[in-house]
Amino acid sequence: MSDQEFERQRQNQIAAIAEDEQFTALTRQWMSRAQQRQYSYHFDWLGIPIIQYPQDIVAMQEIVWSVKPQIIVETGIARGGSAIFYASMLELLHACGQGDGKVIAVDIDIRAHNRKAIEQHPLARRIHMIEGSSIDQAIVDKVHDEARGLAPVVVCLDSNHTHDHVLAELRAYAPLTTVGSYMVVFDTLIEDLAADSIGDRPWAPGNSPMSAVMEYLKEDDRFEIDQTIHTKLQISVARNGFLKRIR
């Protein structure tokens, strides 16, 4: 089978998944149970907790290899695993002669032990951490200044998951996302969860990253949802959250 035939076969299989309602229902049932078990908290990347589903990690690897960004902007550092993951991908690109990129990681509260773990990691040189609210204009300006003149740029939004906060992030960081690249909004799955399963959090169905994405796309036609990514993943926290800049 040629490469072209193999790719056609894959695309046909992905298209068939999109029509398989039973598969989708089973996936959503599994996802609901996985959230109860805090499934995403169980994985590390190069020794640091990453707090992501393995499927989404693979999807981000595909995006980074395809886009070959020189800047990856991440809002929401948590324990630092995602920043280390993105740095490792940039390190691999550099080893392949594809630039010398960096991660700009923003968090409102970078706890001392998390900062220490990131700063002591062998890939720390590729990460610039900025402490402050990702929607504070001074922080937004810092990120834009850091990214100025560098392209392509991938943006990953994974901090406060309320509608208003995510919508403000989308508006703030969309201009950084280069044509053909992605702005990825994590935890859109909140929209599909039972309100009583979320716990004492300020977000909930109707007040979530998903609701922010839907509102944002009404006001900005430069982006569209890349449905093929979620369709082939099925297990993902970012349904409707893989936004590709098309113009």
Side-chain angles (χ1 to χ4, degrees):
M1 182 184 295
S2 69
D3 290 346
Q4 292 80 6
E5 290 171 330
F6 180 69
E7 183 57 29
R8 280 196 298 272
Q9 182 183 77
R10 291 205 303 184
Q11 293 306 315
N12 289 337
Q13 291 167 344
I14 293 169
I17 289 174
E19 302 299 322
D20 189 336
E21 294 181 1
Q22 185 179 13
F23 190 1
T24 298
L26 287 170
T27 299
R28 290 194 176 186
Q29 182 181 357
W30 186 91
M31 290 284 293
S32 178
R33 188 66 170 170
Q35 285 299 112
Q36 294 174 24
R37 295 294 182 182
Q38 293 192 307
Y39 177 82
S40 63
Y41 285 79
H42 304 160
F43 307 98
D44 295 345
W45 189 266
L46 299 181
I48 306 292
I50 189 169
I51 315 181
Q52 294 288 2
Y53 278 32
Q55 293 82 354
D56 286 323
I57 297 170
V58 171
M60 292 308 303
Q61 172 271 143
E62 291 187 357
I63 286 173
V64 172
W65 183 255
S66 173
V67 174
K68 296 177 172 52
Q70 295 307 297
I71 293 289
I72 300 176
V73 175
E74 177 189 42
T75 65
I77 295 174
R79 292 187 174 272
S82 290
I84 296 296
F85 165 67
Y86 297 134
S88 73
M89 289 304 303
L90 294 176
E91 185 80 356
L92 287 171
L93 287 176
H94 178 65
C96 296
Q98 300 290 334
D100 195 25
K102 67 178 178 180
V103 180
I104 304 172
V106 181
D107 200 294
I108 196 168
D109 179 18
I110 306 174
R111 297 179 181 178
H113 60 285
N114 294 333
R115 180 185 289 276
K116 181 178 179 180
I118 295 168
E119 290 177 342
Q120 291 182 344
H121 198 277
L123 292 171
R125 68 188 182 281
R126 294 208 177 271
I127 301 170
H128 178 206
M129 291 181 283
I130 300 175
E131 187 168 59
S133 170
S134 58
I135 62 173
D136 182 283
Q137 191 58 51
I139 300 299
V140 174
D141 290 344
K142 278 186 181 181
V143 174
H144 279 252
D145 287 344
E146 288 281 338
R148 197 177 312 281
L150 298 172
V153 177
V154 168
V155 174
C156 305
L157 305 180
D158 194 10
S159 59
N160 182 320
H161 301 314
T162 62
H163 175 100
D164 288 345
H165 186 94
V166 176
L167 184 58
E169 285 187 328
L170 286 162
R171 290 167 174 164
Y173 298 108
L176 288 176
T177 312
T178 43
V179 175
S181 185
Y182 287 81
M183 180 166 55
V184 182
V185 183
F186 288 95
D187 288 298
T188 55
L189 90 162
I190 290 168
E191 196 68 21
D192 298 327
L193 299 177
D196 60 4
S197 71
I198 294 172
D200 185 21
R201 299 297 183 96
W203 45 82
N207 176 25
S208 73
M210 176 84 81
S211 62
V213 166
M214 294 300 104
E215 181 170 337
Y216 180 73
L217 291 177
K218 293 176 183 177
E219 64 185 47
D220 191 338
D221 65 358
R222 296 173 297 174
F223 291 85
E224 67 178 15
I225 297 169
D226 188 338
Q227 296 286 7
T228 62
I229 296 178
H230 176 261
T231 299
K232 70 179 180 181
L233 292 180
Q234 289 295 298
I235 295 171
S236 170
V237 303
R239 181 173 69 88
N240 290 342
F242 294 96
L243 308 182
K244 185 172 186 178
R245 184 166 180 179
I246 57 174
R247 59 176 64 89

PDB file of all heavy atoms in Angstrom, residues 103-134:
ATOM      1  N   VAL A 103       8.882  28.300  24.702  1.00  0.00           N
ATOM      2  CA  VAL A 103       7.545  28.284  25.281  1.00  0.00           C
ATOM      3  C   VAL A 103       7.391  29.511  26.167  1.00  0.00           C
ATOM      4  O   VAL A 103       8.260  29.794  26.999  1.00  0.00           O
ATOM      5  CB  VAL A 103       7.327  27.015  26.134  1.00  0.00           C
ATOM      6  CG1 VAL A 103       5.925  27.013  26.743  1.00  0.00           C
ATOM      7  CG2 VAL A 103       7.569  25.762  25.312  1.00  0.00           C
ATOM      8  N   ILE A 104       6.307  30.256  25.975  1.00  0.00           N
ATOM      9  CA  ILE A 104       5.950  31.344  26.881  1.00  0.00           C
ATOM     10  C   ILE A 104       4.782  30.840  27.712  1.00  0.00           C
ATOM     11  O   ILE A 104       3.681  30.630  27.202  1.00  0.00           O
ATOM     12  CB  ILE A 104       5.560  32.619  26.119  1.00  0.00           C
ATOM     13  CG1 ILE A 104       6.684  33.057  25.182  1.00  0.00           C
ATOM     14  CG2 ILE A 104       5.224  33.741  27.104  1.00  0.00           C
ATOM     15  CD1 ILE A 104       6.291  34.204  24.263  1.00  0.00           C
ATOM     16  N   ALA A 105       5.032  30.595  28.998  1.00  0.00           N
ATOM     17  CA  ALA A 105       4.031  29.979  29.870  1.00  0.00           C
ATOM     18  C   ALA A 105       3.580  30.979  30.927  1.00  0.00           C
ATOM     19  O   ALA A 105       4.401  31.564  31.631  1.00  0.00           O
ATOM     20  CB  ALA A 105       4.605  28.730  30.533  1.00  0.00           C
ATOM     21  N   VAL A 106       2.265  31.157  31.033  1.00  0.00           N
ATOM     22  CA  VAL A 106       1.675  32.166  31.919  1.00  0.00           C
ATOM     23  C   VAL A 106       0.799  31.489  32.962  1.00  0.00           C
ATOM     24  O   VAL A 106       0.009  30.590  32.640  1.00  0.00           O
ATOM     25  CB  VAL A 106       0.813  33.165  31.118  1.00  0.00           C
ATOM     26  CG1 VAL A 106       0.219  34.222  32.031  1.00  0.00           C
ATOM     27  CG2 VAL A 106       1.624  33.803  29.997  1.00  0.00           C
ATOM     28  N   ASP A 107       0.936  31.917  34.211  1.00  0.00           N
ATOM     29  CA  ASP A 107       0.044  31.435  35.257  1.00  0.00           C
ATOM     30  C   ASP A 107      -0.113  32.527  36.306  1.00  0.00           C
ATOM     31  O   ASP A 107       0.840  33.250  36.607  1.00  0.00           O
ATOM     32  CB  ASP A 107       0.589  30.164  35.907  1.00  0.00           C
ATOM     33  CG  ASP A 107      -0.498  29.377  36.626  1.00  0.00           C
ATOM     34  OD1 ASP A 107      -1.043  29.881  37.629  1.00  0.00           O
ATOM     35  OD2 ASP A 107      -0.812  28.262  36.183  1.00  0.00           O
ATOM     36  N   ILE A 108      -1.306  32.623  36.855  1.00  0.00           N
ATOM     37  CA  ILE A 108      -1.571  33.666  37.848  1.00  0.00           C
ATOM     38  C   ILE A 108      -0.836  33.400  39.157  1.00  0.00           C
ATOM     39  O   ILE A 108      -0.560  34.318  39.925  1.00  0.00           O
ATOM     40  CB  ILE A 108      -3.098  33.796  38.085  1.00  0.00           C
ATOM     41  CG1 ILE A 108      -3.416  35.107  38.803  1.00  0.00           C
ATOM     42  CG2 ILE A 108      -3.654  32.583  38.833  1.00  0.00           C
ATOM     43  CD1 ILE A 108      -4.888  35.464  38.817  1.00  0.00           C
ATOM     44  N   ASP A 109      -0.492  32.119  39.404  1.00  0.00           N
ATOM     45  CA  ASP A 109       0.181  31.753  40.653  1.00  0.00           C
ATOM     46  C   ASP A 109       1.132  30.587  40.368  1.00  0.00           C
ATOM     47  O   ASP A 109       0.707  29.428  40.352  1.00  0.00           O
ATOM     48  CB  ASP A 109      -0.847  31.361  41.714  1.00  0.00           C
ATOM     49  CG  ASP A 109      -0.206  30.952  43.040  1.00  0.00           C
ATOM     50  OD1 ASP A 109       0.976  31.298  43.256  1.00  0.00           O
ATOM     51  OD2 ASP A 109      -0.886  30.281  43.843  1.00  0.00           O
ATOM     52  N   ILE A 110       2.396  30.895  40.142  1.00  0.00           N
ATOM     53  CA  ILE A 110       3.394  29.849  39.915  1.00  0.00           C
ATOM     54  C   ILE A 110       3.964  29.467  41.278  1.00  0.00           C
ATOM     55  O   ILE A 110       4.780  30.191  41.852  1.00  0.00           O
ATOM     56  CB  ILE A 110       4.513  30.322  38.975  1.00  0.00           C
ATOM     57  CG1 ILE A 110       3.916  30.870  37.668  1.00  0.00           C
ATOM     58  CG2 ILE A 110       5.476  29.162  38.678  1.00  0.00           C
ATOM     59  CD1 ILE A 110       4.947  31.491  36.742  1.00  0.00           C
ATOM     60  N   ARG A 111       3.507  28.366  41.802  1.00  0.00           N
ATOM     61  CA  ARG A 111       3.912  27.968  43.140  1.00  0.00           C
ATOM     62  C   ARG A 111       5.390  27.587  43.163  1.00  0.00           C
ATOM     63  O   ARG A 111       5.929  27.073  42.183  1.00  0.00           O
ATOM     64  CB  ARG A 111       3.030  26.831  43.637  1.00  0.00           C
ATOM     65  CG  ARG A 111       1.580  27.275  43.756  1.00  0.00           C
ATOM     66  CD  ARG A 111       0.655  26.191  44.225  1.00  0.00           C
ATOM     67  NE  ARG A 111      -0.717  26.699  44.290  1.00  0.00           N
ATOM     68  CZ  ARG A 111      -1.768  25.966  44.634  1.00  0.00           C
ATOM     69  NH1 ARG A 111      -1.603  24.691  44.945  1.00  0.00           N
ATOM     70  NH2 ARG A 111      -2.975  26.509  44.662  1.00  0.00           N
ATOM     71  N   ALA A 112       5.993  27.847  44.310  1.00  0.00           N
ATOM     72  CA  ALA A 112       7.448  27.746  44.418  1.00  0.00           C
ATOM     73  C   ALA A 112       7.971  26.370  44.024  1.00  0.00           C
ATOM     74  O   ALA A 112       8.966  26.252  43.295  1.00  0.00           O
ATOM     75  CB  ALA A 112       7.895  28.095  45.837  1.00  0.00           C
ATOM     76  N   HIS A 113       7.298  25.308  44.469  1.00  0.00           N
ATOM     77  CA  HIS A 113       7.797  23.963  44.165  1.00  0.00           C
ATOM     78  C   HIS A 113       7.636  23.617  42.693  1.00  0.00           C
ATOM     79  O   HIS A 113       8.477  22.912  42.126  1.00  0.00           O
ATOM     80  CB  HIS A 113       7.113  22.911  45.049  1.00  0.00           C
ATOM     81  CG  HIS A 113       5.630  22.840  44.890  1.00  0.00           C
ATOM     82  ND1 HIS A 113       4.780  23.782  45.411  1.00  0.00           N
ATOM     83  CD2 HIS A 113       4.849  21.923  44.277  1.00  0.00           C
ATOM     84  CE1 HIS A 113       3.527  23.463  45.138  1.00  0.00           C
ATOM     85  NE2 HIS A 113       3.546  22.342  44.432  1.00  0.00           N
ATOM     86  N   ASN A 114       6.578  24.158  42.063  1.00  0.00           N
ATOM     87  CA  ASN A 114       6.405  23.930  40.627  1.00  0.00           C
ATOM     88  C   ASN A 114       7.438  24.714  39.819  1.00  0.00           C
ATOM     89  O   ASN A 114       8.016  24.195  38.859  1.00  0.00           O
ATOM     90  CB  ASN A 114       4.999  24.325  40.200  1.00  0.00           C
ATOM     91  CG  ASN A 114       3.939  23.427  40.818  1.00  0.00           C
ATOM     92  OD1 ASN A 114       4.206  22.272  41.142  1.00  0.00           O
ATOM     93  ND2 ASN A 114       2.744  23.956  40.995  1.00  0.00           N
ATOM     94  N   ARG A 115       7.672  25.960  40.213  1.00  0.00           N
ATOM     95  CA  ARG A 115       8.696  26.770  39.541  1.00  0.00           C
ATOM     96  C   ARG A 115      10.067  26.094  39.649  1.00  0.00           C
ATOM     97  O   ARG A 115      10.818  26.013  38.664  1.00  0.00           O
ATOM     98  CB  ARG A 115       8.748  28.177  40.141  1.00  0.00           C
ATOM     99  CG  ARG A 115       9.790  29.071  39.473  1.00  0.00           C
ATOM    100  CD  ARG A 115       9.890  30.408  40.159  1.00  0.00           C
ATOM    101  NE  ARG A 115       8.724  31.243  39.922  1.00  0.00           N
ATOM    102  CZ  ARG A 115       8.567  31.998  38.847  1.00  0.00           C
ATOM    103  NH1 ARG A 115       9.513  32.026  37.915  1.00  0.00           N
ATOM    104  NH2 ARG A 115       7.495  32.745  38.716  1.00  0.00           N
ATOM    105  N   LYS A 116      10.386  25.588  40.846  1.00  0.00           N
ATOM    106  CA  LYS A 116      11.682  24.945  41.061  1.00  0.00           C
ATOM    107  C   LYS A 116      11.838  23.723  40.164  1.00  0.00           C
ATOM    108  O   LYS A 116      12.895  23.515  39.547  1.00  0.00           O
ATOM    109  CB  LYS A 116      11.835  24.555  42.527  1.00  0.00           C
ATOM    110  CG  LYS A 116      13.164  23.906  42.855  1.00  0.00           C
ATOM    111  CD  LYS A 116      13.255  23.579  44.353  1.00  0.00           C
ATOM    112  CE  LYS A 116      14.592  22.912  44.675  1.00  0.00           C
ATOM    113  NZ  LYS A 116      14.672  22.583  46.142  1.00  0.00           N
ATOM    114  N   ALA A 117      10.772  22.905  40.076  1.00  0.00           N
ATOM    115  CA  ALA A 117      10.832  21.699  39.250  1.00  0.00           C
ATOM    116  C   ALA A 117      11.056  22.046  37.783  1.00  0.00           C
ATOM    117  O   ALA A 117      11.824  21.368  37.080  1.00  0.00           O
ATOM    118  CB  ALA A 117       9.549  20.892  39.413  1.00  0.00           C
ATOM    119  N   ILE A 118      10.407  23.103  37.318  1.00  0.00           N
ATOM    120  CA  ILE A 118      10.572  23.516  35.919  1.00  0.00           C
ATOM    121  C   ILE A 118      11.962  24.107  35.696  1.00  0.00           C
ATOM    122  O   ILE A 118      12.650  23.760  34.722  1.00  0.00           O
ATOM    123  CB  ILE A 118       9.481  24.532  35.524  1.00  0.00           C
ATOM    124  CG1 ILE A 118       8.106  23.864  35.572  1.00  0.00           C
ATOM    125  CG2 ILE A 118       9.742  25.110  34.136  1.00  0.00           C
ATOM    126  CD1 ILE A 118       6.943  24.834  35.482  1.00  0.00           C
ATOM    127  N   GLU A 119      12.398  24.970  36.603  1.00  0.00           N
ATOM    128  CA  GLU A 119      13.695  25.631  36.428  1.00  0.00           C
ATOM    129  C   GLU A 119      14.859  24.653  36.521  1.00  0.00           C
ATOM    130  O   GLU A 119      15.929  24.897  35.937  1.00  0.00           O
ATOM    131  CB  GLU A 119      13.852  26.737  37.455  1.00  0.00           C
ATOM    132  CG  GLU A 119      12.931  27.930  37.201  1.00  0.00           C
ATOM    133  CD  GLU A 119      13.037  29.005  38.263  1.00  0.00           C
ATOM    134  OE1 GLU A 119      13.544  28.728  39.368  1.00  0.00           O
ATOM    135  OE2 GLU A 119      12.592  30.149  37.982  1.00  0.00           O
ATOM    136  N   GLN A 120      14.684  23.535  37.224  1.00  0.00           N
ATOM    137  CA  GLN A 120      15.748  22.552  37.350  1.00  0.00           C
ATOM    138  C   GLN A 120      15.702  21.487  36.259  1.00  0.00           C
ATOM    139  O   GLN A 120      16.592  20.632  36.190  1.00  0.00           O
ATOM    140  CB  GLN A 120      15.676  21.874  38.729  1.00  0.00           C
ATOM    141  CG  GLN A 120      16.028  22.806  39.886  1.00  0.00           C
ATOM    142  CD  GLN A 120      15.997  22.117  41.238  1.00  0.00           C
ATOM    143  OE1 GLN A 120      15.446  21.031  41.383  1.00  0.00           O
ATOM    144  NE2 GLN A 120      16.592  22.753  42.227  1.00  0.00           N
ATOM    145  N   HIS A 121      14.709  21.547  35.405  1.00  0.00           N
ATOM    146  CA  HIS A 121      14.571  20.547  34.347  1.00  0.00           C
ATOM    147  C   HIS A 121      15.568  20.823  33.227  1.00  0.00           C
ATOM    148  O   HIS A 121      15.870  21.992  32.936  1.00  0.00           O
ATOM    149  CB  HIS A 121      13.148  20.557  33.788  1.00  0.00           C
ATOM    150  CG  HIS A 121      12.806  19.320  33.027  1.00  0.00           C
ATOM    151  ND1 HIS A 121      13.145  19.142  31.702  1.00  0.00           N
ATOM    152  CD2 HIS A 121      12.161  18.184  33.414  1.00  0.00           C
ATOM    153  CE1 HIS A 121      12.714  17.965  31.299  1.00  0.00           C
ATOM    154  NE2 HIS A 121      12.116  17.350  32.312  1.00  0.00           N
ATOM    155  N   PRO A 122      16.106  19.801  32.583  1.00  0.00           N
ATOM    156  CA  PRO A 122      17.065  20.016  31.484  1.00  0.00           C
ATOM    157  C   PRO A 122      16.526  20.864  30.331  1.00  0.00           C
ATOM    158  O   PRO A 122      17.319  21.466  29.595  1.00  0.00           O
ATOM    159  CB  PRO A 122      17.376  18.589  31.006  1.00  0.00           C
ATOM    160  CG  PRO A 122      17.108  17.725  32.190  1.00  0.00           C
ATOM    161  CD  PRO A 122      15.972  18.372  32.922  1.00  0.00           C
ATOM    162  N   LEU A 123      15.208  20.940  30.187  1.00  0.00           N
ATOM    163  CA  LEU A 123      14.628  21.716  29.088  1.00  0.00           C
ATOM    164  C   LEU A 123      14.182  23.112  29.519  1.00  0.00           C
ATOM    165  O   LEU A 123      13.533  23.826  28.747  1.00  0.00           O
ATOM    166  CB  LEU A 123      13.434  20.960  28.492  1.00  0.00           C
ATOM    167  CG  LEU A 123      13.794  19.677  27.747  1.00  0.00           C
ATOM    168  CD1 LEU A 123      12.546  18.886  27.392  1.00  0.00           C
ATOM    169  CD2 LEU A 123      14.596  19.990  26.486  1.00  0.00           C
ATOM    170  N   ALA A 124      14.561  23.521  30.717  1.00  0.00           N
ATOM    171  CA  ALA A 124      14.124  24.820  31.246  1.00  0.00           C
ATOM    172  C   ALA A 124      14.536  25.978  30.352  1.00  0.00           C
ATOM    173  O   ALA A 124      13.848  27.001  30.301  1.00  0.00           O
ATOM    174  CB  ALA A 124      14.684  25.024  32.647  1.00  0.00           C
ATOM    175  N   ARG A 125      15.641  25.830  29.644  1.00  0.00           N
ATOM    176  CA  ARG A 125      16.125  26.935  28.811  1.00  0.00           C
ATOM    177  C   ARG A 125      15.141  27.308  27.708  1.00  0.00           C
ATOM    178  O   ARG A 125      15.215  28.411  27.138  1.00  0.00           O
ATOM    179  CB  ARG A 125      17.471  26.573  28.188  1.00  0.00           C
ATOM    180  CG  ARG A 125      17.406  25.459  27.157  1.00  0.00           C
ATOM    181  CD  ARG A 125      18.801  25.016  26.716  1.00  0.00           C
ATOM    182  NE  ARG A 125      18.744  23.981  25.698  1.00  0.00           N
ATOM    183  CZ  ARG A 125      18.512  22.697  25.952  1.00  0.00           C
ATOM    184  NH1 ARG A 125      18.279  22.301  27.196  1.00  0.00           N
ATOM    185  NH2 ARG A 125      18.482  21.816  24.972  1.00  0.00           N
ATOM    186  N   ARG A 126      14.223  26.433  27.390  1.00  0.00           N
ATOM    187  CA  ARG A 126      13.244  26.723  26.331  1.00  0.00           C
ATOM    188  C   ARG A 126      11.943  27.286  26.890  1.00  0.00           C
ATOM    189  O   ARG A 126      10.994  27.486  26.141  1.00  0.00           O
ATOM    190  CB  ARG A 126      12.948  25.462  25.515  1.00  0.00           C
ATOM    191  CG  ARG A 126      14.137  24.971  24.737  1.00  0.00           C
ATOM    192  CD  ARG A 126      13.769  24.208  23.479  1.00  0.00           C
ATOM    193  NE  ARG A 126      14.970  23.833  22.762  1.00  0.00           N
ATOM    194  CZ  ARG A 126      15.558  24.594  21.848  1.00  0.00           C
ATOM    195  NH1 ARG A 126      15.027  25.769  21.528  1.00  0.00           N
ATOM    196  NH2 ARG A 126      16.662  24.192  21.245  1.00  0.00           N
ATOM    197  N   ILE A 127      11.880  27.537  28.178  1.00  0.00           N
ATOM    198  CA  ILE A 127      10.634  27.986  28.804  1.00  0.00           C
ATOM    199  C   ILE A 127      10.840  29.326  29.487  1.00  0.00           C
ATOM    200  O   ILE A 127      11.752  29.491  30.298  1.00  0.00           O
ATOM    201  CB  ILE A 127      10.150  26.951  29.846  1.00  0.00           C
ATOM    202  CG1 ILE A 127       9.917  25.587  29.182  1.00  0.00           C
ATOM    203  CG2 ILE A 127       8.869  27.433  30.529  1.00  0.00           C
ATOM    204  CD1 ILE A 127       9.670  24.465  30.162  1.00  0.00           C
ATOM    205  N   HIS A 128       9.979  30.286  29.151  1.00  0.00           N
ATOM    206  CA  HIS A 128       9.953  31.568  29.854  1.00  0.00           C
ATOM    207  C   HIS A 128       8.630  31.670  30.584  1.00  0.00           C
ATOM    208  O   HIS A 128       7.562  31.752  29.965  1.00  0.00           O
ATOM    209  CB  HIS A 128      10.102  32.733  28.879  1.00  0.00           C
ATOM    210  CG  HIS A 128      10.033  34.067  29.564  1.00  0.00           C
ATOM    211  ND1 HIS A 128       9.624  35.221  28.925  1.00  0.00           N
ATOM    212  CD2 HIS A 128      10.306  34.445  30.840  1.00  0.00           C
ATOM    213  CE1 HIS A 128       9.644  36.220  29.771  1.00  0.00           C
ATOM    214  NE2 HIS A 128      10.050  35.777  30.939  1.00  0.00           N
ATOM    215  N   MET A 129       8.688  31.643  31.910  1.00  0.00           N
ATOM    216  CA  MET A 129       7.466  31.731  32.719  1.00  0.00           C
ATOM    217  C   MET A 129       7.156  33.182  33.067  1.00  0.00           C
ATOM    218  O   MET A 129       8.051  33.960  33.396  1.00  0.00           O
ATOM    219  CB  MET A 129       7.624  30.904  34.000  1.00  0.00           C
ATOM    220  CG  MET A 129       7.662  29.415  33.772  1.00  0.00           C
ATOM    221  SD  MET A 129       7.813  28.467  35.326  1.00  0.00           S
ATOM    222  CE  MET A 129       9.567  28.694  35.678  1.00  0.00           C
ATOM    223  N   ILE A 130       5.873  33.513  32.987  1.00  0.00           N
ATOM    224  CA  ILE A 130       5.386  34.840  33.344  1.00  0.00           C
ATOM    225  C   ILE A 130       4.280  34.661  34.368  1.00  0.00           C
ATOM    226  O   ILE A 130       3.287  33.971  34.113  1.00  0.00           O
ATOM    227  CB  ILE A 130       4.853  35.603  32.124  1.00  0.00           C
ATOM    228  CG1 ILE A 130       5.949  35.776  31.067  1.00  0.00           C
ATOM    229  CG2 ILE A 130       4.276  36.955  32.540  1.00  0.00           C
ATOM    230  CD1 ILE A 130       5.464  36.418  29.776  1.00  0.00           C
ATOM    231  N   GLU A 131       4.429  35.277  35.534  1.00  0.00           N
ATOM    232  CA  GLU A 131       3.407  35.161  36.576  1.00  0.00           C
ATOM    233  C   GLU A 131       2.452  36.345  36.507  1.00  0.00           C
ATOM    234  O   GLU A 131       2.871  37.504  36.471  1.00  0.00           O
ATOM    235  CB  GLU A 131       4.048  35.088  37.966  1.00  0.00           C
ATOM    236  CG  GLU A 131       3.039  34.790  39.064  1.00  0.00           C
ATOM    237  CD  GLU A 131       3.714  34.441  40.383  1.00  0.00           C
ATOM    238  OE1 GLU A 131       4.474  35.287  40.891  1.00  0.00           O
ATOM    239  OE2 GLU A 131       3.497  33.321  40.882  1.00  0.00           O
ATOM    240  N   GLY A 132       1.170  36.030  36.493  1.00  0.00           N
ATOM    241  CA  GLY A 132       0.140  37.055  36.440  1.00  0.00           C
ATOM    242  C   GLY A 132      -1.066  36.524  35.699  1.00  0.00           C
ATOM    243  O   GLY A 132      -1.019  35.459  35.070  1.00  0.00           O
ATOM    244  N   SER A 133      -2.163  37.243  35.769  1.00  0.00           N
ATOM    245  CA  SER A 133      -3.371  36.823  35.071  1.00  0.00           C
ATOM    246  C   SER A 133      -3.159  36.903  33.558  1.00  0.00           C
ATOM    247  O   SER A 133      -2.691  37.920  33.036  1.00  0.00           O
ATOM    248  CB  SER A 133      -4.556  37.706  35.460  1.00  0.00           C
ATOM    249  OG  SER A 133      -5.664  37.446  34.622  1.00  0.00           O
ATOM    250  N   SER A 134      -3.546  35.849  32.875  1.00  0.00           N
ATOM    251  CA  SER A 134      -3.364  35.801  31.423  1.00  0.00           C
ATOM    252  C   SER A 134      -4.204  36.825  30.684  1.00  0.00           C
ATOM    253  O   SER A 134      -3.971  37.077  29.497  1.00  0.00           O
ATOM    254  CB  SER A 134      -3.697  34.407  30.900  1.00  0.00           C
ATOM    255  OG  SER A 134      -5.027  34.049  31.226  1.00  0.00           O
TER     256      SER A 134
END
